[in-house]
Amino acid sequence: MAEAVRGRFAPSPSGRMHLGNVSSALLAWCSVRAQRGAMVLRLEDLDGERCKSAYSDFLIEDLQWLGLDWDEGPLTGGGCGPYRQSECGPLYEEALRTLEAKGLLYPCWCTRAQRLAAAPHGAEAAEGRCPCYALTEAERAARLAQRPRGVRVLAPDESFTVEDGLQGLFSQNLRHDCGDFLLRRSDGMWAYQLAVCVDDGRMGVTEVVRGRDLLSSTPRQMFLLRELGYEPPRYIHTPLLLAPDGRRLSKRERDLDMAALREALTPERLVGKLAFLLGLTGREYPVTARELAADFNWSRVTAADAVLRGI
Ligand code: GLU
């Protein structure tokens, strides 16, 4: 018997969802429901500065308004909690210990400014290694006495290929294309890459549907999942929705966020617009998420980004 499908919503409650977030949530939900799988809601609230509990409340309410339900998560509970990343610190500590025991980690004292100046993608020295890698034990001890350290993982000289359900093949050699990457910042904040792997792994997620902007993170996640002893899920990266000037929609600019969308439209009209934009229907008409799921097929979804011409 085929393994039961487990999908997830993994939104960051750092603002009200915008139309782009809604579009990937809708696709993730339709795919899972069409396969009679289980949906998990996990709130990715690691960034305590930006994530507010009011946004978590809005998220939950907005998903409910859209008719997108979940089987496990906040409100419903389930066997894979906690469902808020801010409560998962001990699980991330344990994952770091696993990686440490494999000799894959080293401490890093780079400041944010140094990290941002570094290339490519955060490792400034040749061959993707951070200069902190070359410090001697004595130098490490001296630095540690002065200030806290972050933690980096050694990127292997190995290619990981995503067989994406919509975007096709995407490969990266982690050492050359990404370099060693941070799993924990020196201020103690957990990196998205680590948290998402620990949570997708321990929650038994088999299908990840999310925006195409995260495709380039996926080889790193395939590596971490493997090292943590988990099978990679099936990945499907969905098209981005662009503003008429070609910009990506953003929460910060409050582009077409749920407050505005709920004022302008009913849930059926909003779902109908998205379905048409994504290629799921041949014309625009009001439809519920449940009706859409009944007849859902990935082969109809367009892989290319879509430009919005107003709502
Ligand atoms: N929390 C991320 C976001 O809201 C999504 C992470 C993921 O789907 O892997 O952008």
Side-chain angles (χ1 to χ4, degrees):
M1 204 175 91
E3 184 190 10
V5 172
R6 285 173 67 78
R8 45 56 153 201
F9 299 124
S12 302
S14 58
R16 202 84 185 251
M17 280 196 286
H18 58 62
L19 197 60
N21 306 129
V22 176
S23 127
S24 21
L26 178 67
L27 288 170
W29 187 87
C30 284
S31 178
V32 164
R33 290 293 176 238
Q35 298 172 83
R36 305 201 181 290
M39 196 70 193
V40 178
L41 170 61
R42 174 174 83 228
L43 297 173
E44 302 212 323
D45 57 351
L46 287 175
D47 185 342
E49 296 266 293
R50 291 179 55 208
C51 296
K52 306 272 177 260
S53 70
Y55 290 137
S56 299
D57 297 344
F58 274 132
L59 244 162
I60 287 175
E61 210 196 288
D62 288 339
L63 288 171
Q64 289 170 331
W65 181 86
L66 286 158
L68 306 181
D69 62 351
W70 55 95
D71 307 289
E72 294 177 31
L75 303 189
T76 43
C80 295
Y83 294 99
R84 291 173 201 269
Q85 289 190 327
S86 56
E87 295 169 8
C88 295
L91 299 168
Y92 305 146
E93 300 268 4
E94 195 184 314
L96 273 198
R97 284 196 293 274
T98 303
L99 300 172
E100 176 76 59
K102 294 181 153 202
L104 288 172
L105 306 181
Y106 62 93
C108 167
W109 284 270
C110 292
T111 59
R112 186 175 148 77
Q114 284 168 316
R115 286 204 310 270
L116 292 178
H121 309 300
E124 62 191 9
E127 288 296 300
R129 292 276 104 102
C130 165
C132 296
Y133 178 69
L135 297 174
T136 63
E137 277 309 317
E139 287 167 332
R140 285 182 180 176
R143 289 203 185 189
L144 198 54
Q146 285 168 0
R147 57 195 170 94
R149 53 155 183 57
V151 179
R152 258 180 217 277
V153 63
L154 287 162
D157 183 3
E158 185 184 342
S159 287
F160 287 80
T161 301
V162 190
E163 291 176 30
D164 190 84
L166 268 183
Q167 311 294 335
L169 298 182
F170 176 77
S171 295
Q172 274 180 339
N173 174 299
L174 289 193
R175 178 124 185 226
H176 299 284
D177 298 331
C178 298
D180 300 343
F181 53 99
L182 273 181
L183 299 185
R184 191 172 201 182
R185 291 191 342 198
S186 57
D187 63 5
M189 192 163 123
W190 296 102
Y192 156 69
Q193 305 292 1
L194 178 75
V196 80
C197 291
V198 171
D199 292 334
D200 282 341
R202 71 188 182 84
M203 291 178 175
V205 169
T206 64
E207 183 175 288
V208 166
V209 177
R210 59 186 176 194
R212 194 180 58 74
D213 50 326
L214 289 169
L215 182 59
S216 62
S217 287
T218 308
R220 275 171 283 177
Q221 295 175 15
M222 291 169 79
F223 160 60
L224 285 180
L225 283 166
R226 183 185 75 188
E227 296 305 325
L228 293 170
Y230 296 116
E231 286 292 315
R234 172 184 186 218
Y235 290 103
I236 306 168
H237 287 88
T238 62
L240 301 179
L241 301 188
L242 308 174
D245 59 4
R247 257 184 328 107
R248 269 175 49 193
L249 300 184
S250 103
K251 278 182 194 158
R252 284 191 197 174
E253 298 186 45
R254 304 203 57 220
D255 272 313
L256 295 180
D257 74 7
M258 280 299 281
L261 293 168
R262 283 177 64 165
E263 241 168 62
L265 299 167
T266 61
E268 294 77 18
R269 285 200 47 217
L270 176 50
V271 170
K273 277 186 185 293
L274 279 173
F276 177 60
L277 205 60
L278 292 164
L280 283 169
T281 51
R283 65 183 171 84
E284 191 180 316
Y285 58 90
V287 60
T288 64
R290 201 158 285 282
E291 284 161 347
L292 212 55
D295 185 31
F296 180 78
N297 193 328
W298 277 111
S299 68
R300 286 210 300 272
V301 180
T302 359
D305 294 347
V307 179
L308 289 165
R309 308 266 172 227
I311 53 162

mmCIF file of all heavy atoms in Angstrom, residues 8-14 21 42-45 85 192 196 200 208-211 213-214 217 221 235 237 248 251, ligand 1:
data_model
loop_
_atom_site.group_PDB
_atom_site.id
_atom_site.type_symbol
_atom_site.label_atom_id
_atom_site.label_comp_id
_atom_site.label_asym_id
_atom_site.label_seq_id
_atom_site.Cartn_x
_atom_site.Cartn_y
_atom_site.Cartn_z
ATOM 1 N N ARG A 8 1.955 19.923 4.477
ATOM 2 C CA ARG A 8 1.953 20.921 5.559
ATOM 3 C C ARG A 8 1.789 22.335 5.023
ATOM 4 O O ARG A 8 2.139 22.648 3.879
ATOM 5 C CB ARG A 8 3.180 20.785 6.449
ATOM 6 C CG ARG A 8 4.580 20.604 5.875
ATOM 7 C CD ARG A 8 5.043 21.608 4.940
ATOM 8 N NE ARG A 8 6.487 21.759 4.899
ATOM 9 C CZ ARG A 8 7.093 22.848 4.450
ATOM 10 N NH1 ARG A 8 6.406 23.845 3.951
ATOM 11 N NH2 ARG A 8 8.400 22.932 4.421
ATOM 12 N N PHE A 9 1.220 23.177 5.900
ATOM 13 C CA PHE A 9 1.321 24.627 5.736
ATOM 14 C C PHE A 9 2.414 25.011 6.716
ATOM 15 O O PHE A 9 2.368 24.565 7.866
ATOM 16 C CB PHE A 9 0.082 25.377 6.235
ATOM 17 C CG PHE A 9 -1.214 25.066 5.577
ATOM 18 C CD1 PHE A 9 -2.293 24.634 6.340
ATOM 19 C CD2 PHE A 9 -1.401 25.275 4.218
ATOM 20 C CE1 PHE A 9 -3.524 24.389 5.766
ATOM 21 C CE2 PHE A 9 -2.634 25.028 3.640
ATOM 22 C CZ PHE A 9 -3.698 24.586 4.414
ATOM 23 N N ALA A 10 3.371 25.848 6.285
ATOM 24 C CA ALA A 10 4.420 26.260 7.226
ATOM 25 C C ALA A 10 4.601 27.779 7.168
ATOM 26 O O ALA A 10 5.687 28.262 6.867
ATOM 27 C CB ALA A 10 5.722 25.539 6.896
ATOM 28 N N PRO A 11 3.560 28.533 7.429
ATOM 29 C CA PRO A 11 3.665 29.988 7.292
ATOM 30 C C PRO A 11 4.433 30.635 8.446
ATOM 31 O O PRO A 11 4.466 30.099 9.556
ATOM 32 C CB PRO A 11 2.200 30.445 7.323
ATOM 33 C CG PRO A 11 1.508 29.403 8.127
ATOM 34 C CD PRO A 11 2.228 28.110 7.881
ATOM 35 N N SER A 12 5.069 31.753 8.134
ATOM 36 C CA SER A 12 5.714 32.558 9.181
ATOM 37 C C SER A 12 4.739 33.668 9.564
ATOM 38 O O SER A 12 4.383 34.472 8.710
ATOM 39 C CB SER A 12 6.997 33.198 8.651
ATOM 40 O OG SER A 12 7.866 32.194 8.204
ATOM 41 N N PRO A 13 4.326 33.722 10.810
ATOM 42 C CA PRO A 13 3.365 34.764 11.203
ATOM 43 C C PRO A 13 4.046 36.114 11.418
ATOM 44 O O PRO A 13 4.050 36.659 12.517
ATOM 45 C CB PRO A 13 2.752 34.209 12.495
ATOM 46 C CG PRO A 13 3.788 33.288 13.048
ATOM 47 C CD PRO A 13 4.616 32.777 11.901
ATOM 48 N N SER A 14 4.626 36.642 10.326
ATOM 49 C CA SER A 14 5.350 37.914 10.430
ATOM 50 C C SER A 14 4.559 39.022 9.753
ATOM 51 O O SER A 14 5.096 40.083 9.469
ATOM 52 C CB SER A 14 6.728 37.770 9.774
ATOM 53 O OG SER A 14 6.569 37.374 8.432
ATOM 54 N N ASN A 21 1.058 34.001 -0.712
ATOM 55 C CA ASN A 21 1.018 32.979 0.347
ATOM 56 C C ASN A 21 -0.256 32.151 0.234
ATOM 57 O O ASN A 21 -0.243 30.937 0.404
ATOM 58 C CB ASN A 21 1.026 33.613 1.756
ATOM 59 C CG ASN A 21 2.162 34.577 2.007
ATOM 60 O OD1 ASN A 21 1.949 35.708 2.444
ATOM 61 N ND2 ASN A 21 3.374 34.146 1.728
ATOM 62 N N ARG A 42 1.985 24.229 10.783
ATOM 63 C CA ARG A 42 3.120 24.525 11.676
ATOM 64 C C ARG A 42 3.437 26.011 11.576
ATOM 65 O O ARG A 42 3.630 26.514 10.456
ATOM 66 C CB ARG A 42 4.309 23.685 11.211
ATOM 67 C CG ARG A 42 5.574 23.984 11.934
ATOM 68 C CD ARG A 42 6.643 23.016 11.525
ATOM 69 N NE ARG A 42 7.323 23.364 10.296
ATOM 70 C CZ ARG A 42 7.547 22.528 9.289
ATOM 71 N NH1 ARG A 42 7.140 21.274 9.337
ATOM 72 N NH2 ARG A 42 8.199 22.928 8.229
ATOM 73 N N LEU A 43 3.485 26.688 12.679
ATOM 74 C CA LEU A 43 3.769 28.124 12.636
ATOM 75 C C LEU A 43 5.269 28.343 12.772
ATOM 76 O O LEU A 43 5.879 27.936 13.768
ATOM 77 C CB LEU A 43 2.994 28.844 13.739
ATOM 78 C CG LEU A 43 1.471 28.749 13.593
ATOM 79 C CD1 LEU A 43 0.756 29.332 14.802
ATOM 80 C CD2 LEU A 43 1.013 29.452 12.314
ATOM 81 N N GLU A 44 5.852 28.961 11.759
ATOM 82 C CA GLU A 44 7.309 29.146 11.737
ATOM 83 C C GLU A 44 7.623 30.525 12.332
ATOM 84 O O GLU A 44 7.891 31.493 11.623
ATOM 85 C CB GLU A 44 7.835 28.966 10.314
ATOM 86 C CG GLU A 44 7.469 27.567 9.793
ATOM 87 C CD GLU A 44 8.472 26.956 8.839
ATOM 88 O OE1 GLU A 44 9.048 27.683 8.019
ATOM 89 O OE2 GLU A 44 8.681 25.727 8.928
ATOM 90 N N ASP A 45 7.563 30.552 13.660
ATOM 91 C CA ASP A 45 7.665 31.819 14.393
ATOM 92 C C ASP A 45 8.995 31.953 15.127
ATOM 93 O O ASP A 45 9.041 32.375 16.282
ATOM 94 C CB ASP A 45 6.486 31.940 15.375
ATOM 95 C CG ASP A 45 6.432 30.752 16.336
ATOM 96 O OD1 ASP A 45 7.193 29.774 16.135
ATOM 97 O OD2 ASP A 45 5.638 30.790 17.290
ATOM 98 N N GLN A 85 7.286 26.686 16.040
ATOM 99 C CA GLN A 85 8.743 26.492 16.105
ATOM 100 C C GLN A 85 9.359 27.160 17.327
ATOM 101 O O GLN A 85 10.388 26.711 17.819
ATOM 102 C CB GLN A 85 9.390 27.010 14.819
ATOM 103 C CG GLN A 85 9.076 26.114 13.626
ATOM 104 C CD GLN A 85 9.878 26.442 12.390
ATOM 105 O OE1 GLN A 85 10.197 27.602 12.157
ATOM 106 N NE2 GLN A 85 10.185 25.439 11.588
ATOM 107 N N TYR A 192 16.342 28.961 9.720
ATOM 108 C CA TYR A 192 15.220 28.332 9.013
ATOM 109 C C TYR A 192 15.600 26.958 8.475
ATOM 110 O O TYR A 192 14.845 25.996 8.616
ATOM 111 C CB TYR A 192 14.786 29.283 7.880
ATOM 112 C CG TYR A 192 14.067 28.595 6.745
ATOM 113 C CD1 TYR A 192 12.792 28.071 6.930
ATOM 114 C CD2 TYR A 192 14.672 28.449 5.490
ATOM 115 C CE1 TYR A 192 12.139 27.414 5.892
ATOM 116 C CE2 TYR A 192 14.022 27.800 4.456
ATOM 117 C CZ TYR A 192 12.765 27.275 4.661
ATOM 118 O OH TYR A 192 12.124 26.621 3.644
ATOM 119 N N VAL A 196 13.337 23.819 9.626
ATOM 120 C CA VAL A 196 12.392 23.246 8.675
ATOM 121 C C VAL A 196 12.683 21.750 8.465
ATOM 122 O O VAL A 196 11.758 20.940 8.342
ATOM 123 C CB VAL A 196 12.419 24.059 7.355
ATOM 124 C CG1 VAL A 196 13.581 23.683 6.478
ATOM 125 C CG2 VAL A 196 11.133 23.908 6.572
ATOM 126 N N ASP A 200 9.985 19.012 9.366
ATOM 127 C CA ASP A 200 9.427 18.184 8.286
ATOM 128 C C ASP A 200 9.763 16.714 8.560
ATOM 129 O O ASP A 200 8.928 15.829 8.369
ATOM 130 C CB ASP A 200 9.988 18.605 6.915
ATOM 131 C CG ASP A 200 9.308 19.867 6.379
ATOM 132 O OD1 ASP A 200 8.212 20.208 6.854
ATOM 133 O OD2 ASP A 200 9.885 20.513 5.483
ATOM 134 N N VAL A 208 6.048 18.527 0.181
ATOM 135 C CA VAL A 208 6.252 19.945 0.500
ATOM 136 C C VAL A 208 5.841 20.773 -0.717
ATOM 137 O O VAL A 208 6.421 20.639 -1.789
ATOM 138 C CB VAL A 208 7.727 20.222 0.866
ATOM 139 C CG1 VAL A 208 8.031 21.710 0.876
ATOM 140 C CG2 VAL A 208 8.059 19.609 2.220
ATOM 141 N N VAL A 209 4.821 21.595 -0.523
ATOM 142 C CA VAL A 209 4.361 22.504 -1.581
ATOM 143 C C VAL A 209 4.572 23.914 -1.045
ATOM 144 O O VAL A 209 4.054 24.259 0.016
ATOM 145 C CB VAL A 209 2.861 22.279 -1.890
ATOM 146 C CG1 VAL A 209 2.379 23.283 -2.933
ATOM 147 C CG2 VAL A 209 2.617 20.855 -2.355
ATOM 148 N N ARG A 210 5.369 24.709 -1.746
ATOM 149 C CA ARG A 210 5.661 26.060 -1.262
ATOM 150 C C ARG A 210 6.131 26.910 -2.429
ATOM 151 O O ARG A 210 6.336 26.417 -3.541
ATOM 152 C CB ARG A 210 6.734 25.998 -0.171
ATOM 153 C CG ARG A 210 8.012 25.379 -0.663
ATOM 154 C CD ARG A 210 9.018 25.174 0.455
ATOM 155 N NE ARG A 210 10.204 24.498 -0.026
ATOM 156 C CZ ARG A 210 11.120 23.963 0.745
ATOM 157 N NH1 ARG A 210 11.006 24.016 2.060
ATOM 158 N NH2 ARG A 210 12.185 23.388 0.218
ATOM 159 N N GLY A 211 6.324 28.198 -2.185
ATOM 160 C CA GLY A 211 6.669 29.137 -3.248
ATOM 161 C C GLY A 211 8.013 28.813 -3.898
ATOM 162 O O GLY A 211 8.931 28.299 -3.247
ATOM 163 N N ASP A 213 10.378 30.615 -4.611
ATOM 164 C CA ASP A 213 11.542 31.296 -4.026
ATOM 165 C C ASP A 213 12.327 30.368 -3.104
ATOM 166 O O ASP A 213 13.489 30.646 -2.805
ATOM 167 C CB ASP A 213 11.108 32.572 -3.277
ATOM 168 C CG ASP A 213 9.970 32.330 -2.306
ATOM 169 O OD1 ASP A 213 9.106 31.479 -2.593
ATOM 170 O OD2 ASP A 213 9.951 32.980 -1.258
ATOM 171 N N LEU A 214 11.734 29.277 -2.661
ATOM 172 C CA LEU A 214 12.445 28.373 -1.749
ATOM 173 C C LEU A 214 13.108 27.189 -2.456
ATOM 174 O O LEU A 214 13.733 26.351 -1.811
ATOM 175 C CB LEU A 214 11.499 27.901 -0.636
ATOM 176 C CG LEU A 214 11.174 29.029 0.354
ATOM 177 C CD1 LEU A 214 10.034 28.635 1.284
ATOM 178 C CD2 LEU A 214 12.400 29.420 1.161
ATOM 179 N N SER A 217 16.717 26.674 -1.664
ATOM 180 C CA SER A 217 17.036 26.167 -0.317
ATOM 181 C C SER A 217 16.937 24.650 -0.268
ATOM 182 O O SER A 217 17.407 24.024 0.689
ATOM 183 C CB SER A 217 16.026 26.704 0.714
ATOM 184 O OG SER A 217 16.247 28.061 0.958
ATOM 185 N N GLN A 221 18.358 21.460 2.217
ATOM 186 C CA GLN A 221 17.434 20.724 3.085
ATOM 187 C C GLN A 221 17.507 19.217 2.822
ATOM 188 O O GLN A 221 17.400 18.415 3.744
ATOM 189 C CB GLN A 221 16.017 21.259 2.908
ATOM 190 C CG GLN A 221 15.938 22.701 3.400
ATOM 191 C CD GLN A 221 14.605 23.381 3.176
ATOM 192 O OE1 GLN A 221 13.609 22.737 2.887
ATOM 193 N NE2 GLN A 221 14.583 24.694 3.318
ATOM 194 N N TYR A 235 8.900 17.316 -3.535
ATOM 195 C CA TYR A 235 8.870 18.785 -3.530
ATOM 196 C C TYR A 235 8.109 19.321 -4.730
ATOM 197 O O TYR A 235 8.295 18.844 -5.862
ATOM 198 C CB TYR A 235 10.292 19.353 -3.588
ATOM 199 C CG TYR A 235 11.085 19.138 -2.321
ATOM 200 C CD1 TYR A 235 12.054 18.147 -2.246
ATOM 201 C CD2 TYR A 235 10.855 19.934 -1.200
ATOM 202 C CE1 TYR A 235 12.780 17.944 -1.085
ATOM 203 C CE2 TYR A 235 11.576 19.732 -0.024
ATOM 204 C CZ TYR A 235 12.535 18.745 0.021
ATOM 205 O OH TYR A 235 13.248 18.547 1.166
ATOM 206 N N HIS A 237 7.387 23.214 -6.105
ATOM 207 C CA HIS A 237 7.546 24.654 -5.883
ATOM 208 C C HIS A 237 6.618 25.419 -6.811
ATOM 209 O O HIS A 237 6.681 25.270 -8.029
ATOM 210 C CB HIS A 237 9.014 25.054 -6.045
ATOM 211 C CG HIS A 237 9.838 24.588 -4.872
ATOM 212 N ND1 HIS A 237 10.430 23.351 -4.821
ATOM 213 C CD2 HIS A 237 10.095 25.189 -3.681
ATOM 214 C CE1 HIS A 237 11.044 23.212 -3.653
ATOM 215 N NE2 HIS A 237 10.860 24.311 -2.941
ATOM 216 N N ARG A 248 7.990 40.945 -6.630
ATOM 217 C CA ARG A 248 7.315 39.894 -5.865
ATOM 218 C C ARG A 248 6.440 40.538 -4.814
ATOM 219 O O ARG A 248 6.788 41.573 -4.249
ATOM 220 C CB ARG A 248 8.360 39.042 -5.155
ATOM 221 C CG ARG A 248 8.788 37.874 -5.979
ATOM 222 C CD ARG A 248 9.897 37.129 -5.299
ATOM 223 N NE ARG A 248 9.587 36.858 -3.903
ATOM 224 C CZ ARG A 248 10.486 36.436 -3.030
ATOM 225 N NH1 ARG A 248 11.720 36.261 -3.386
ATOM 226 N NH2 ARG A 248 10.155 36.183 -1.789
ATOM 227 N N LYS A 251 4.953 40.853 2.322
ATOM 228 C CA LYS A 251 4.134 41.154 3.497
ATOM 229 C C LYS A 251 4.401 42.560 3.987
ATOM 230 O O LYS A 251 3.519 43.250 4.460
ATOM 231 C CB LYS A 251 4.489 40.189 4.627
ATOM 232 C CG LYS A 251 3.808 38.851 4.516
ATOM 233 C CD LYS A 251 4.185 37.978 5.690
ATOM 234 C CE LYS A 251 3.781 36.540 5.415
ATOM 235 N NZ LYS A 251 4.514 35.579 6.196
HETATM 236 N N1 GLU B 1 7.978 29.732 6.722
HETATM 237 C C1 GLU B 1 8.337 29.923 5.354
HETATM 238 C C2 GLU B 1 7.600 31.107 4.794
HETATM 239 O O1 GLU B 1 6.569 31.500 5.293
HETATM 240 C C3 GLU B 1 7.999 28.743 4.485
HETATM 241 C C4 GLU B 1 8.870 27.598 4.767
HETATM 242 C C5 GLU B 1 8.642 26.375 3.933
HETATM 243 O O2 GLU B 1 7.537 26.194 3.377
HETATM 244 O O3 GLU B 1 9.554 25.565 3.873
HETATM 245 O O4 GLU B 1 8.078 31.672 3.829
#
